[in-house]
């Protein structure tokens, strides 16, 4: 198989990161973890322990509380084994939401480390360019 054929049949790390986020946002948290998370996974969200289980349970709880969550990816960048995804996340259609950046580190095509930072979208902003 040529390199071109391999690249079209194997999703890039960037595509895997986006797919992980889309699955989580749609409520398929366990599927996302089973498909993309490494057994050696750790994360840096300061509100939860640093292990996969605690973050997965928090994501499942959030999904139950917000079954109509919307994740709109605005930008995804990949450099070697690192992927950054900039998204507009809304807990429900009426929510202004927030701008969220997820930074993924991959090893052997699985997510081994995750950072996330977010900023709520204000009702009124002085910036005429908006957050997106």
């Amino acid at each position: 198989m040529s390199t071109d054929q391999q690249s079209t049949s194997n999703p890039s790390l960037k595509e895997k990161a986006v797919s992980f986020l889309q699955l989580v946002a749609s409520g398929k948290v366990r599927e996302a973890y089973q498909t993309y998370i490494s057994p050696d996974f750790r994360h840096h969200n300061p509100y939860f322990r640093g292990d996969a289980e605690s973050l997965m349970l928090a994501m499942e709880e959030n999904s139950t509380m917000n079954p109509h969550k919307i994740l709109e990816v605005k930008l995804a960048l990949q450099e070697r084994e690192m992927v950054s995804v900039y998204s507009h996340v809304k807990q429900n259609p009426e929510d202004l939401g927030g701008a969220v950046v997820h930074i993924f580190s991959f090893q052997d095509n699985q997510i081994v480390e995750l950072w996330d930072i977010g900023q709520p979208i204000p009702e009124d902003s002085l910036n005429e360019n908006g957050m997106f």
Side-chain angles (χ1 to χ4, degrees), residues 7 19 36 60 68 85 92 97 109 117:
S7 66
S19 179
Y36 297 110
E60 285 181 325
H68 304 292
V85 181
N92 60 66
N109 286 311
I117 49 177

Side-chain angles (χ1 to χ4, degrees), residues 16-80:
K16 289 180 179 190
V18 169
S19 179
F20 172 81
L21 292 173
Q22 290 171 332
L23 283 169
V24 168
S26 70
K28 298 176 182 173
V29 177
R30 291 207 182 239
E31 180 182 337
Y33 271 72
Q34 290 168 355
T35 305
Y36 297 110
I37 296 295
S38 166
D40 300 323
F41 175 79
R42 62 187 179 138
H43 69 87
H44 300 276
N45 186 310
Y47 299 103
F48 307 101
R49 294 192 49 191
D51 63 308
E53 179 82 6
S54 63
L55 188 62
M56 181 182 70
L57 292 174
M59 288 176 165
E60 285 181 325
E61 182 179 339
N62 181 273
S63 179
T64 300
M65 293 171 48
N66 301 289
H68 304 292
K69 181 183 286 188
I70 299 165
L71 173 114
E72 183 182 349
V73 173
K74 300 293 186 176
L75 178 66
L77 304 169
Q78 178 180 344
E79 184 174 331
R80 294 185 202 88

Side-chain angles (χ1 to χ4, degrees), residues 86-87 89 97-101 117-122 131-132:
Y86 179 53
S87 306
V89 178
V100 181
V101 176
I117 49 177
Q119 180 179 13
I121 297 174
M131 294 186 63
F132 304 102

Side-chain angles (χ1 to χ4, degrees), residues 103-116:
I103 303 169
F104 298 87
S105 177
F106 282 82
Q107 186 175 4
D108 299 325
N109 286 311
Q110 290 189 305
I111 300 166
V112 291
E113 201 161 8
L114 172 65
W115 297 261
D116 60 315

